Amino acid sequence: MWPCITICRPLLLKLRSRYAFSKDTRQTLVSPSKLIFRPSASCTGVGKKWTRPTGYDTGLKTYNSLTKQKEPLVLAQEGIATWYSCGPTVYDHAHLGHACSYVRFDIIQRVLSRVFGINVIHVMVITDIDDKIIRRALEKSISPTVLARMYEEEFKNDMLALKVLPPAVYLRVTENIPQIVAFIEGIIRNEHAYATKQGDVYFDIGSIGDRYGKLMGAGDATGEPGDREKRDSRDFALWKASKPQEPSWESPWGKGRPGWHIECSTIASSVFGSQLDFHSGGIDLAFPHHENEIAQCEAYHQCGQWGNYFLHSGHLHLKGSAEKMSKSLNNYITIKDFLESYSANEFRMFCLLTKYRSAIDYSDASLNEARSSLATITAFTHDAQAYMRGQLQCPAVEEGALWERLAETKANVVRALADDFDTPRVVNAIMSLVYHGNRQLQPITKPDRSPRSPAVFGAFLAYIREVFEVLGVDLLDRKEAHSVDSSGTLENVVEQLARFRSDVRAFALSVQETPPGEPAHASPSPCSEKLPLLKACDTLRKDLASMGVHIRDRGPNSTWEISQKRPAGQDKK
C-alpha cells in the first residue's frame, strides 16, 4: 500500500509558526497594521533567473512555468510541500473550466501524498470582495457578504461532488484585511509602492527594474486602468480608495479595500512566510495575477525568489472553439448541470486522459471516451471476478506472463507519475494491463479441467483499484451504490433472478439422450417444446439491460452487473 499522510491542523500551525514567525525573518509584531519583515536567509535567486532551491531532492520532475521546462523537484523540507492556490471569486456558479483546474491539481496533490509520501500543506484563498461581487450584489439587491457566502458554500459543495480534497484551510480575503494593510505598508517601507492623494496605493513596477516579468516577461504588458497619479501605466493597485455603495475598511490611506493581487501575496506569506514550494492556478492567471504576486512578495520579503515552482493548468475549450470556457464569454456549463448527465468519476477520467498543463477540448465525444474507458475497466473487473468465483470457464492462462506484466505496469506507472505527473501514460499503462488480462479470459463452453489461476487476477484487480483510488476515481462507486440501496437488497434480488434464469436456460438448452439402438444426431439441439423458454430468457436479458442490469451468458453459466442508469435524454448537453 502506498503511504498516505494526513494533513492536520496542528502541523499547519507548526508550519505557520516556522515560516511566518521564525528568527530568520526576525519579524516584529507591533500591531495588526505594523508587521515588519526583514530579509530572510531562505530567500534565494537574483534577477529573473530561476535558482534551483536548496533542500530535499524528491527525485521527481515537474514543469515549472518560471523556466518553461521540467525541473527537479526540490523541497525546502523533506516530506513536506507547501502549496498555495488561487481559489474562486465567489460571485456566481462555478463552471467546468474551474472544475478542470481544481480536479487536475487535486490529482497531483494526491499523487505527491499517496505515491511519494509527501505531506502537502495546501492553503486556498476565497476572494469574497471584488468588483464583480459588488456589481452582482447590487443587481440582486443583497449585501456582498451574503452573496459571497452563498456562492462560497456552493463552490465547496461542487468540489465535494467532484471528489476534490479540501485544502488544509480556506482563508477569506475579508477576514485578513489587517494583514493585507500591514503587507502593503511593508512594500511602501521598502520603497516599492506609493500612495496617491485620492487614497489609492500602487505597486511601483519601475522600482524593481528588470526583475518584473519572471513568468511572462515584461514585454508589451499593459497595466490596469487607474488614475493620473500612477507613475507607470503598468503599476497596479494594492489598495483602492472607497467608492459610494462599496464595502470599505480603515487604512492609513483612508477607507478602501484591497486590490486583486495583494490578497494572495499576503495570505500565502501569512501562512508560509518568505518561501513557497508550489503555487498553482489556471494558465489565464499567470499574467497579470501571478506575475504581480511574485513582484509583491519579493519586494516585501526583499528576496530574489519567493515561489520555487509555479504550476499552471491548461484551458478547457468547447470543441471547435479557440476560446476558453468562461463566464465573461457566456459559454460555460455549471458543475451542477454537468453532474446531471455525467458522474464525477467520468469527469476525473476525462481530466486524466490529458496532461494537466495541456488545453483540453470539451465535447460529448471526449466525455464518452472517458466513460468508455471506465466501462472497459468495469467489464474486466466483472469478468475477472466471475473467473475467480468459478463462474467463467477459460483455458489455462499464462500466469507467469501476467505476473510479469503486472510488475512492469507498476514500474511504468511510478515512472510516469515521477515525470511531471503524466496521467495519460498512467491510464495507457492500466488499459494495456486490462487488455492483456482480457486476452486470457476467453470463455469456453465446456470445462476442460485446465489449471486455474485466480490469484493473479485478484492482484490485477487490487492494483487497478488502488491506482484509481489514489487518482480520485472510485471504481467501486460506493456513493452511487449507497444511494441505490445501502442494504444491498437490489443486488441480492438480481443475484436470485439471474440464478433462476440460468437454471431455466440450462434446462432449455439440455438435449434428450438418444435411446439405445437409435442413431445419434450429428448436432443435437433442444426440442421445440423448450424453445419458448429460451426466448423468454433472451427477452428477460434484454429487458433488464434497459434497466441497467446486464446479464452475460458464458456457456452454461451467466454473470451479471449493475451499471449506473441515467434518465433518457440526459446524455445530451
Side-chain angles (χ1 to χ4, degrees), residues 92-100 136 151 154 158-159 161-162 316 318 325-327 330-342 347 362 573:
D92 204 345
H93 307 288
H95 59 67
L96 287 189
H98 303 130
C100 194
R136 181 60 56 86
Y151 284 118
E154 184 178 293
D158 285 340
M159 294 300 102
L162 290 171
L316 179 69
L318 291 173
M325 184 179 289
S326 72
K327 293 172 186 172
N330 198 30
N331 63 351
Y332 65 91
I333 300 166
T334 67
I335 295 171
K336 188 177 294 185
D337 288 344
F338 171 84
L339 290 175
E340 291 180 1
S341 300
Y342 295 99
F347 184 73
Y362 175 87
K573 300 289 128 345

Side-chain angles (χ1 to χ4, degrees), residues 148-408:
R149 295 294 179 272
M150 179 175 68
Y151 284 118
E152 176 186 335
E153 188 63 25
E154 184 178 293
F155 167 78
K156 290 176 180 177
N157 289 335
D158 285 340
M159 294 300 102
L160 186 64
L162 290 171
K163 305 176 186 177
V164 172
L165 299 174
V169 64
Y170 290 102
L171 293 172
R172 296 179 181 133
V173 173
T174 57
E175 294 174 355
N176 285 270
I177 300 297
Q179 292 91 331
I180 291 172
V181 169
F183 202 88
I184 295 171
E185 286 186 304
I187 297 175
I188 293 175
R189 188 165 47 249
N190 291 337
E191 300 181 347
H192 295 298
Y194 56 93
T196 68
K197 294 177 182 178
Q198 283 74 28
D200 299 306
V201 180
Y202 290 100
F203 187 88
D204 185 358
I205 286 182
S207 70
I208 60 173
D210 63 357
R211 289 173 54 196
Y212 185 75
K214 287 190 171 185
L215 277 172
M216 309 299 287
D220 299 326
T222 55
E224 56 192 37
D227 60 39
R228 294 179 181 178
E229 291 190 69
K230 287 173 66 172
R231 297 175 183 173
D232 188 309
S233 62
R234 299 174 301 163
D235 292 353
F236 54 89
L238 304 181
W239 187 261
K240 297 181 177 182
S242 66
K243 297 176 183 177
Q245 295 185 299
E246 286 190 358
S248 61
W249 291 264
E250 294 290 347
S251 81
W253 319 286
K255 283 193 171 184
R257 58 185 175 88
W260 175 28
H261 316 296
I262 194 66
E263 63 190 49
C264 290
S265 294
T266 301
I267 290 173
S269 295
S270 75
V271 179
F272 300 123
S274 58
Q275 187 177 55
L276 180 68
D277 292 319
F278 286 105
H279 194 308
S280 65
I283 188 61
D284 53 314
L285 293 178
F287 185 86
H289 187 49
H290 294 167
E291 197 76 79
N292 291 348
E293 278 187 68
I294 293 171
Q296 291 169 156
C297 285
E298 294 180 358
Y300 180 82
H301 296 296
Q302 294 183 282
C303 66
Q305 186 166 296
W306 164 64
N308 290 331
Y309 300 90
F310 274 75
L311 274 56
H312 290 107
S313 59
H315 283 151
L316 179 69
H317 299 269
L318 291 173
K319 184 71 173 179
S321 171
E323 296 174 330
K324 69 170 185 174
M325 184 179 289
S326 72
K327 293 172 186 172
S328 60
L329 297 173
N330 198 30
N331 63 351
Y332 65 91
I333 300 166
T334 67
I335 295 171
K336 188 177 294 185
D337 288 344
F338 171 84
L339 290 175
E340 291 180 1
S341 300
Y342 295 99
S343 71
N345 277 346
E346 288 164 347
F347 184 73
R348 190 165 287 246
M349 178 62 87
F350 167 75
C351 293
L352 288 167
L353 290 172
T354 57
K355 293 185 178 181
Y356 73 91
R357 52 191 171 90
S358 301
I360 184 170
D361 284 332
Y362 175 87
S363 66
D364 285 340
S366 56
L367 263 299
N368 285 334
E369 180 186 357
R371 178 177 286 179
S372 176
S373 297
L374 286 170
T376 298
I377 294 168
T378 300
F380 170 71
T381 299
H382 283 283
D383 287 350
Q385 289 174 337
Y387 174 79
M388 294 177 69
R389 294 189 192 104
Q391 297 171 336
L392 179 59
Q393 302 297 325
C394 300
V397 303
E398 299 173 11
E399 183 174 355
L402 291 180
W403 284 115
E404 289 178 10
R405 179 70 59 178
L406 179 59
E408 182 184 337

